[in-house]
């Protein structure tokens, strides 16, 4: 569908024709690894257009490839979720990027994405598994508190302590917070269809927090985009403890639910035991992707 426009696309670029463009790349996860910051910051490159529906503080992720219901609505529905972008010209083309962290653990998403577009570029961001797990527990606790539910996520330290002191470590595999951090197990299924570095790029989420511009430049190369994102696009915010966007009218940090100050308590004992438990899986992951991250 093309619409004549004398105005601008959703990001303010002037153009003659607008179109809803399907994504050329997708951020598949892992949840609580920095997926939102990654997409927001990648959009500093004017050739990137994010498919993000922001609704106040909430983000409505599209969940097309991992939800049977949404998938049943078909491609026309999916296309309607996409941003309006300037129609491709000889000088300029845009890449729309969608992010749904739910895709990474989904059994159906890899095949569906491959079927949708053989040339789809897949981006995965992973973090130190213990830090990611703690971030997910915190997120879960906030949700339970908001809904007035029993705050079970707040008490997860007791579960871990019990497993490490009295129980069997195989119980850990049944814990969804642990399972979501076992990146190796899910990545294997993606690599049956997507070739590492060619069509699937893995981002070190801890390095992305420390030096976002470095990881973003690697993604620009992966997406065959000109390198636009630079060190001076960012400014470190001492209060937030994260890099924020360095904009003409000041610094622009992500909302308060991204980069939370307080995290659900995990004892030093539990954290060390979890680090040891994940170590073997990290090595398997690094072997699989042919890269070593510093965690
Ligand atoms: N620049 C910057 N600013 C703020 N936060 C940043 C940034 N870069 C990465 N992060 C980390 O992103 C974590 C949230 O991850 P996600 O966006 O993937 O979460 S979600 O799965 O979409 O809910 C979030 O987790 P918490 O620290 O637990 O809030 C951050 O650690």
């Amino acid at each position: 569908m093309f619409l004549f426009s004398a105005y601008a696309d959703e990001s303010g670029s002037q153009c003659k024709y607008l179109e809803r463009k399907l994504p050329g790349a997708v951020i598949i996860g892992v949840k609580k690894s920095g997926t939102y910051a990654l997409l927001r910051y990648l959009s500093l490159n004017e050739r990137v257009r994010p498919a993000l529906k922001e609704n106040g503080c909430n983000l409505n992720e599209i969940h097309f490839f991992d939800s049977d219901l949404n998938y049943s609505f078909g491609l026309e529905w999916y296309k309607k979720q996409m941003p309006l972008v300037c129609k491709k010209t000889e000088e300029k083309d845009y890449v729309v990027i969608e992010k749904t962290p739910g895709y990474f653990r989904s059994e159906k998403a890899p095949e569906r994405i491959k079927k949708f577009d053989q040339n789809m570029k897949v981006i995965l961001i992973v973090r130190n598994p213990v830090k990611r797990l703690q971030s997910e527990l915190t997120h879960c606790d906030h949700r339970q508190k908001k809904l007035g539910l029993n705050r079970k996520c707040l008490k997860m330290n007791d579960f871990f302590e019990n497993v490490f002191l009295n129980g069997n470590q195989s119980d850990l595999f049944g814990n969804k917070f642990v399972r979501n951090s076992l990146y190796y197990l899910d990545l294997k299924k993606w690599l049956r269809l997507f070739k590492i570095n060619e069509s699937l790029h893995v981002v070190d989420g801890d390095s992305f927090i420390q030096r976002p511009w470095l990881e973003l430049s690697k993604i620009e190369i992966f997406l065959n985009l000109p390198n636009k994102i630079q060190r001076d696009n960012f400014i470190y915010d001492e209060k937030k403890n994260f890099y924020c966007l360095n904009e003409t009218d000041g610094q622009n940090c992500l909302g308060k639910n991204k980069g939370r100050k307080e995290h659900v308590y995990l004892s030093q004992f539990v954290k060390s035991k979890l680090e040891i438990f994940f170590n073997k899986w990290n090595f398997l992951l690094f072997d699989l992707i042919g890269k070593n991250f510093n965690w």
Side-chain angles (χ1 to χ4, degrees):
M1 172 183 51
F2 302 118
L3 302 168
F4 181 73
S5 164
Y7 303 106
D9 76 355
E10 289 176 11
S11 74
S13 292
Q14 294 294 326
C15 49
K16 204 169 172 192
Y17 295 102
L18 291 172
E19 65 173 326
R20 285 202 192 276
K21 192 171 184 191
L22 286 163
V26 60
I27 299 174
I28 57 169
V30 176
K31 64 157 83 167
K32 305 317 290 180
S33 295
T35 55
Y36 176 69
L38 190 66
L39 185 48
R40 273 290 298 275
Y41 291 178
L42 259 179
S43 312
L44 283 167
N45 187 314
E46 52 154 27
R47 302 260 305 270
V48 169
R49 291 289 184 269
L52 263 181
K53 294 192 168 279
E54 305 201 29
N55 163 17
C57 273
N58 296 320
L59 287 172
N60 299 331
E61 285 158 0
I62 296 168
H63 289 279
F64 180 62
F65 297 108
D66 62 336
S67 151
D68 286 342
L69 179 66
N70 290 345
Y71 195 68
S72 74
F73 296 151
L75 273 187
E76 275 312 305
W77 178 89
Y78 189 43
K79 199 167 186 178
K80 280 197 195 124
Q81 315 309 311
M82 295 300 136
L84 282 168
V85 302
C86 293
K87 190 176 175 253
K88 175 181 176 180
T89 62
E90 266 176 33
E91 305 85 62
K92 233 183 226 174
D93 192 8
Y94 296 89
V95 50
V96 170
I97 307 185
E98 193 232 315
K99 87 121 183 153
T100 300
Y103 292 162
F104 183 56
R105 297 263 355 251
S106 157
E107 286 303 321
K108 294 180 181 167
E111 286 79 6
R112 285 175 174 173
I113 292 177
K114 195 71 187 178
K115 191 170 155 218
F116 161 72
D117 182 353
Q118 289 282 324
N119 299 316
M120 184 71 117
K121 298 262 188 178
V122 174
I123 299 168
L124 174 72
I125 178 166
V126 287
R127 278 200 80 182
N128 170 307
V130 181
K131 289 189 188 151
R132 195 218 63 81
L133 175 154
Q134 196 171 16
S135 173
E136 191 183 350
L137 278 181
T138 308
H139 185 74
C140 165
D141 180 55
H142 275 256
R143 227 182 22 236
Q144 289 179 340
K145 191 174 164 195
K146 203 164 145 194
L147 296 171
L149 300 172
N150 179 352
R151 294 171 66 184
K152 286 188 192 151
C153 297
L154 202 55
K155 296 166 199 135
M156 202 51 81
N157 189 63
D158 297 349
F159 165 80
F160 289 129
E161 239 169 48
N162 191 38
V163 167
F164 289 123
L165 288 173
N166 315 312
N168 187 333
Q169 289 206 12
S170 60
D171 291 349
L172 292 174
F173 292 92
N175 178 280
K176 76 167 179 174
F177 304 101
V178 170
R179 183 61 187 80
N180 287 344
S181 278
L182 291 170
Y183 313 133
Y184 169 78
L185 294 177
D186 293 294
L187 185 58
K188 271 200 309 184
K189 102 194 149 213
W190 286 86
L191 293 186
R192 281 188 215 118
L193 296 170
F194 297 90
K195 207 160 176 219
I196 193 78
N197 300 334
E198 267 175 40
S199 54
L200 192 149
H201 174 79
V202 183
V203 181
D204 176 349
D206 289 273
S207 160
F208 173 66
I209 289 176
Q210 284 153 20
R211 287 172 299 274
W213 55 94
L214 289 185
E215 293 304 322
L216 293 162
S217 298
K218 291 181 204 164
I219 301 175
E220 289 178 314
I221 295 170
F222 172 65
L223 296 176
N224 300 317
L225 293 173
N227 176 235
K228 295 285 180 191
I229 305 174
Q230 307 290 339
R231 164 74 185 86
D232 58 12
N233 288 123
F234 299 94
I235 184 158
Y236 192 77
D237 187 303
E238 300 288 345
K239 280 198 204 128
K240 180 95 183 161
N241 276 327
F242 281 95
Y243 277 98
C244 301
L245 294 174
N246 185 8
E247 295 182 341
T248 37
D249 48 352
Q251 61 208 59
N252 185 357
C253 296
L254 303 184
K256 62 180 187 321
N257 58 349
K258 298 290 177 188
R260 289 183 166 116
K261 290 252 168 281
E262 306 284 335
H263 285 94
V264 161
Y265 172 75
L266 290 180
S267 69
Q268 203 44 55
F269 168 75
V270 164
K271 282 200 242 180
S272 317
K273 288 287 184 189
L274 284 171
E275 292 283 356
I276 296 166
F277 169 79
F278 281 120
N279 243 337
K280 167 190 151 194
W281 298 99
N282 294 344
F283 282 121
L284 288 170
L285 174 79
F286 300 152
D287 200 43
L288 190 65
I289 64 178
K291 275 192 267 198
N292 231 318
F293 298 152
N294 204 10
W295 37 264

